Amino acid sequence: MRTNRQTLLSILSFSLIVGCTGSADPEPCDSGDCGDDTQASVNEARDLIAVGYDDDLSVNQLISVDVETAEATVLLNFGFDVGWWWPGVASDSEAGVIYCVSGGDSLYRIAMDGSDVEIVGTLSDNMQAMDVGPDGLIGIGYNDASGFNVLRTVDTDTAEVSNVTSFQFDSGKWEVFVMNDNEAGELFATSSDHTLYRLQMDGSAVDIMGQYEGHVYMGMGADGLSGLNYNEETDE
């Protein structure tokens, strides 16, 4: 059964894809003087890719959103195996696919152009949040027996989950999303007390970077982390 909470959460989950959904690839430049045309072509090829839900049709949808006009285009209607999902998508722009997980812990691989929906398998262990890593998916799960959170990887061919290292958030709870810096081999997450954690993807270290004020939803920016916060004093 789809609960009210699940319906609200399943309305739309976005992921920004840069340079992979435009109508044409930029022309290569070998002269050293490319001008603005190449960059314009790259900028043109930016879209948001999302999984939404249509109440009238009672189906989930793969949706493309133009970042310049906010125009949404439905690419595909589909359904999750148990009728609902854990909102959140992991995007592999190089492979042209996104990953998401149903309420029955089935790992889905969906082609960004809507040409294919595949159930990879059932996750072999708990994953609370994940994103694309250097080799498959990587994120954080929870071990009920030990009471620890666990840095885990997911094989995108088998849905097999492997443990990397166990740790605990200072408050015992966390804001359930991860931010991955694959080039640096690092994953960032925050506790419910607004403590920022940096985890080495190989499990070699879990560092507390400090605390921040307010409720911030963050992502990887051009130079570190960027995010949105709300100031109750200014109502902004």
Side-chain angles (χ1 to χ4, degrees):
M1 175 181 291
R2 180 183 295 272
T3 66
N4 289 336
R5 177 175 180 272
Q6 289 157 356
T7 301
L8 289 171
L9 287 175
S10 297
I11 289 174
L12 208 57
S13 184
F14 285 105
S15 182
L16 177 62
I17 308 304
V18 179
C20 64
T21 56
S23 59
D25 293 329
E27 292 295 325
C29 174
D30 299 323
S31 66
D33 183 20
C34 298
D36 296 330
D37 292 342
T38 300
Q39 186 60 46
S41 297
V42 171
N43 289 339
E44 238 177 56
R46 289 194 310 160
D47 276 345
L48 295 171
I49 198 79
V51 174
Y53 185 77
D54 189 303
D55 287 310
D56 294 330
L57 299 176
S58 297
V59 294
N60 284 97
Q61 295 177 322
L62 183 69
I63 299 170
S64 174
V65 181
D66 189 307
V67 297
E68 301 297 334
T69 65
E71 181 179 355
T73 302
V74 176
L75 304 176
L76 174 70
N77 293 329
F78 70 100
F80 287 102
D81 52 2
V82 294
W84 61 280
W85 67 304
W86 301 108
V89 294
S91 303
D92 187 340
S93 57
E94 291 186 4
V97 298
I98 65 171
Y99 296 92
C100 49
V101 179
S102 79
D105 288 335
S106 295
L107 179 65
Y108 279 70
R109 177 167 49 218
I110 305 174
M112 290 181 183
D113 61 5
S115 61
D116 187 46
V117 177
E118 176 187 1
I119 297 179
V120 175
T122 302
L123 294 176
S124 62
D125 214 335
N126 169 267
M127 294 294 295
Q128 294 181 321
M130 59 187 177
D131 202 352
V132 173
D135 185 18
L137 301 172
I138 188 166
I140 296 173
Y142 185 74
N143 186 318
D144 287 314
S146 68
F148 280 74
N149 282 97
V150 188
L151 180 66
R152 289 171 168 163
T153 60
V154 181
D155 189 312
T156 53
D157 291 323
T158 65
E160 182 71 23
V161 178
S162 300
N163 295 334
V164 180
T165 191
S166 297
F167 68 101
Q168 285 183 309
F169 288 103
D170 54 1
S171 61
K173 300 178 181 179
W174 69 301
E175 307 288 347
V176 188
F177 63 92
V178 295
M179 301 148 287
N180 292 358
D181 186 342
N182 291 331
E183 290 188 5
E186 298 173 340
L187 177 149
F188 295 88
T190 63
S191 76
S192 58
D193 280 350
H194 310 153
T195 302
L196 178 64
Y197 283 73
R198 181 177 64 193
L199 292 80
Q200 299 301 315
M201 290 183 176
D202 62 4
S204 60
V206 177
D207 299 312
I208 293 178
M209 308 306 295
Q211 286 186 305
Y212 58 88
E213 295 183 0
H215 294 275
V216 183
Y217 193 91
M218 293 181 286
M220 293 306 304
D223 185 20
L225 299 171
S226 299
L228 295 175
N229 193 7
Y230 178 70
N231 188 321
E232 294 181 355
E233 294 182 358
T234 62
D235 197 28
E236 295 176 327

